[in-house]
Amino acid sequence: MFALLSFCLCGLLMRGEAQDRATLWRGNDRGGRCHYTFTVPSPVESSCPQIGGPEVEGLKARLNLLEVLVSQLSAGDSRLPGVQQGSGARVQSELQEALNRAVGERNLLQSEKEHLERELNGLQLRMEEMRRETERLRNKPCPQQTPMVPPSPTLQDRVSKRPGSGLNPMSRLMTRPSRQEDSSNLRDSAWQYGAPGFQELKAAVTEVPAPGGNEDNTGCGELLSVGEPVTHRKADNIAGKYGIWMQDPEAVSPYGPNMLWRIDAIGAEVKQMFGYEDLEQLSKGFPSKVLLLPELLESTGATVYRGSLYYQRRNSRTLIRYDLASESVAARRELPHAGFHGQFPYSWGGYTDIDLSVDENGLWAVYSTNKAKGAIVISQLDPESLGVKKSWETNIRKNSVANSFIICGKLYTVASYASRETTINYMYDTETSQGKNLAIPFKNKYGYNSMIDYSLAQRKLFGWDNFHIVSYDVRLGRQQAN
C-alpha cells in the first residue's frame, strides 16, 4: 500500500505543472485505525472553497459539547463541570420569576388597553348621540316670534310723568349699549324699538328666602349644602380625563385676580400649566400663558396661593413651591412620613396620596402615613418654607373616600367619585379636633370626579369630572360664637 502511494506521489511530482512538493501524513483515527494522507497542490485551481477545515471542526466540537450540556441540564444533572449543586434549580427559579413578571406586565397592559377601548367606545357613542341631537335640532322648525304687545297709554303716561330730565330710567335701560358694537351709535339688537319710544317690559318675580339666623354666605361656618354642578368646558383630548383647575385667592403681579390655571394630569410627563385671563377665556379654550414646570407633577393635588404653584413632585413625597412670576422653584421640602405614589391614595387611585389646598386659614396638606395606618392626616403648612406648622390625625381611612376639600379649617370627604348621586359623608373640625358623619347630597354629573377642591377666590367648589371642568355653589352655616 505504501509503495503504491509512493509511486503515485512520485508521478505527480514529475509532472511539469506541479512546482511544489507533495506532503505525506500518517496517523491513527479515533477508532485506532492507521490512515495515510498526502496533499498535492492543484495545477489548475489557485484556491479552493472552504468546506470544513479546523475552524469548522472546532465549531462542531463546541456544538457537541453544548448539546451534552443542554441534555444534562434538562435531565437535572448537577454533576456538570463548573456547575455547583442547585445552580440549575436557581436558574430555573429566576427564569420562572422573569416569566411571571412578563406575564403580569402583559396582563396589566391588556387590562389598560381594554379600559381605554371601553372609554373610546363610550366617547364614540357620545359623539353619535351628539350628532343625532344636532341633526334633530337642525331639522326642528324655528319657533314663530310673537308680536310685541302694544304699549299701554296709561303706563306710558305714568312713566313719562316721572321726574328727571332727558331719558327716563326705563328708556335708559332699553338703550343700553351693545357689547359687540360701538356703544355711542348702536344699541343691543334685543332692545331695538320704534317710533313710540317705549316698550312694555314684563318682569318675572322670583321668591328669594331671607338669610336665616343659621346661614352666613360671607364668613366662615359649617357646610350646609352644595349646589348643582355648572359645566365650564370639556377637555379636548385624553390627557384631560383627569386634571386640575385653580384660582389664586391672593394673586400677585403680573397675574390678575381673575387669572385661572389648568393642568391636564394624564401622561408620563405632566409639566405644562395653562393660564387664562378669566373664566370666559377658559371656557373658550384660549390660554394667555403656558408655563413649563421644572419637575414632573404627581396627580391632581396641586393648588395656587400668593403667586405660587404648590405641587407634589412625581414619585416622591417632596413638595415644591413654584413662583409664577419668576418661573422658578422658590422652595422644596419633603412632607415627613407621607405616603406617595399609590401608598395611600383616594379610592379612585391616580396616585392621589398628597392633596394640597387653600382656605381662609392658609395652606393645607391632606395625606396619610404608616404610623396613621392609612387614616387621613391633615397638616397646616407654612406657605413660604413648606414646613409643617401643626397636624391632626382623623379616624377615617383615606382610601375609603373619593376626595376631600377644606373650608374654614374643616375637612369634608366625598363618598364616591363615580356615583351620579353621592354624599359628603364626613367632616373633621381642626379647631375642635372632632369629627362627625354627614349626609350632604353631592353630584358627579359625568361619572368620574378626579378633583374636588375649594376655591377661596370664588367661594365655590371646583371639580374635574371625566374630562369636564365644573364648579359648585356652596352654602355655609353661621359660625357659632364660643
Side-chain angles (χ1 to χ4, degrees):
M1 177 69 179
F2 180 75
L4 178 60
L5 289 173
S6 301
F7 173 76
C8 294
L9 178 60
C10 291
L12 288 172
L13 291 173
M14 291 175 65
R15 294 180 60 182
E17 295 87 353
Q19 300 298 324
D20 298 327
R21 297 188 62 182
T23 58
L24 177 66
W25 179 82
R26 184 179 64 172
N28 294 331
D29 63 2
R30 293 182 181 179
R33 295 186 61 186
C34 179
H35 282 259
Y36 292 86
T37 305
F38 64 91
T39 59
V40 180
S42 172
V44 179
E45 296 175 326
S46 59
S47 63
C48 298
Q50 294 295 324
I51 301 176
E55 294 83 359
V56 175
E57 293 299 326
L59 179 60
K60 288 181 180 178
R62 288 195 296 274
L63 287 175
N64 291 334
L65 179 60
L66 285 174
E67 289 176 357
V68 173
L69 291 174
V70 169
S71 63
Q72 290 177 342
L73 278 174
S74 303
D77 192 350
S78 61
R79 295 172 296 174
L80 294 172
V83 178
Q84 299 299 325
Q85 184 73 19
S87 63
R90 185 173 63 253
V91 170
Q92 185 176 2
S93 174
E94 292 174 355
L95 289 173
Q96 185 64 40
E97 184 180 352
L99 177 61
N100 293 339
R101 284 199 303 268
V103 171
E105 291 175 0
R106 185 198 63 183
N107 293 339
L108 182 62
L109 290 174
Q110 183 66 26
S111 63
E112 183 67 18
K113 176 186 174 184
E114 293 173 356
H115 177 67
L116 291 175
E117 286 176 349
R118 288 195 299 271
E119 290 187 353
L120 178 61
N121 292 334
L123 288 174
Q124 289 173 343
L125 291 175
R126 179 62 179 159
M127 288 175 63
E128 182 63 24
E129 291 175 3
M130 294 176 66
R131 187 191 64 78
R132 289 198 297 266
E133 181 66 15
T134 303
E135 192 66 26
R136 185 185 69 80
L137 293 175
R138 185 182 292 117
N139 297 329
K140 184 178 179 181
C142 296
Q144 296 182 353
Q145 294 185 354
T146 57
M148 298 297 296
V149 179
S152 169
T154 305
L155 181 58
Q156 182 176 359
D157 292 341
R158 264 201 320 269
V159 174
S160 62
K161 290 178 182 179
R162 295 184 67 177
S165 58
L167 291 176
N168 56 58
M170 189 67 73
S171 299
R172 284 197 295 272
L173 176 62
M174 290 186 294
T175 57
R176 62 175 182 162
S178 169
R179 299 175 73 179
Q180 305 295 329
E181 303 177 3
D182 185 358
S183 61
S184 62
N185 299 321
L186 299 175
R187 299 168 184 152
D188 194 315
S189 59
W191 295 90
Q192 296 295 325
Y193 63 95
F198 178 80
Q199 279 184 325
E200 181 177 4
L201 302 178
K202 295 184 178 181
V205 179
T206 304
E207 254 189 282
V208 179
N214 64 339
E215 295 181 20
D216 185 0
N217 291 326
T218 58
C220 266
E222 186 175 325
L223 181 66
L224 298 178
S225 66
V226 176
E228 296 285 326
V230 177
T231 304
H232 302 286
R233 179 168 176 78
K234 183 178 180 181
D236 300 320
N237 52 54
I238 187 65
K241 178 176 175 62
Y242 316 139
I244 319 157
W245 73 294
M246 318 161 269
Q247 185 173 355
D248 193 340
E250 299 181 24
V252 176
S253 179
Y255 304 111
N258 296 324
M259 192 79 174
L260 290 161
W261 300 93
R262 186 197 101 227
I263 300 174
D264 295 337
I266 281 193
E269 294 191 356
V270 179
K271 297 182 74 173
Q272 281 190 324
M273 181 175 177
F274 301 90
Y276 301 85
E277 292 292 342
D278 51 35
L279 186 57
E280 181 180 3
Q281 297 302 310
L282 173 67
S283 300
K284 292 178 179 179
F286 298 150
S288 59
K289 183 69 176 179
V290 179
L291 298 176
L292 190 64
L293 302 179
E295 300 193 46
L296 299 181
L297 176 144
E298 185 94 293
S299 196
T300 60
T303 191
V304 286
Y305 185 48
R306 295 180 180 176
S308 293
L309 169 72
Y310 296 84
Y311 71 97
Q312 174 194 356
R313 192 180 71 185
R314 183 178 176 84
N315 200 16
S316 77
R317 59 172 62 93
T318 300
L319 305 181
I320 293 177
R321 178 166 77 88
Y322 177 76
D323 184 74
L324 299 175
S326 64
E327 300 181 18
S328 62
V329 175
R332 69 171 65 236
R333 184 186 292 264
E334 282 198 350
L335 186 59
H337 312 297
F340 63 93
H341 206 64
Q343 287 180 285
F344 304 111
Y346 291 125
S347 60
W348 74 270
Y351 302 129
T352 50
D353 301 76
I354 299 176
D355 192 4
L356 302 174
S357 61
V358 171
D359 77 341
E360 292 79 359
N361 296 333
L363 180 64
W364 299 89
V366 176
Y367 59 103
S368 188
T369 64
N370 287 325
K371 181 181 178 181
K373 299 180 180 179
I376 289 179
V377 176
I378 310 167
S379 289
Q380 191 167 20
L381 306 180
D382 185 301
E384 294 296 322
S385 67
L386 301 175
V388 175
K389 297 165 69 174
K390 189 175 180 180
S391 295
W392 296 259
E393 185 177 317
T394 71
N395 58 5
I396 185 168
R397 295 182 65 82
K398 192 165 183 289
N399 63 7
S400 70
V401 299
N403 225 307
S404 72
F405 55 90
I406 297 179
I407 304 178
C408 299
K410 298 176 178 65
L411 172 82
Y412 298 89
T413 64
V414 181
S416 172
Y417 63 91
S419 298
R420 309 282 175 160
E421 305 282 342
T422 185
T423 60
I424 295 170
N425 61 348
Y426 181 79
M427 184 270 287
Y428 184 90
D429 191 345
T430 58
E431 185 175 352
T432 63
S433 299
Q434 297 294 321
K436 68 176 182 179
N437 295 325
L438 300 175
I440 299 174
F442 185 87
K443 291 188 177 181
N444 299 309
K445 183 176 181 180
Y446 300 101
Y448 208 107
N449 217 330
S450 59
M451 170 238 169
I452 303 171
D453 210 351
Y454 175 59
S455 170
L456 177 59
Q458 295 195 22
R459 297 184 67 81
K460 297 175 184 284
L461 293 181
F462 282 5
W464 195 294
D465 190 357
N466 201 11
F467 294 96
H468 295 82
I469 294 174
V470 297
S471 65
Y472 304 78
D473 288 331
V474 296
R475 190 162 61 94
L476 303 180
R478 185 178 298 278
Q479 182 75 38
Q480 299 295 327
N482 294 329

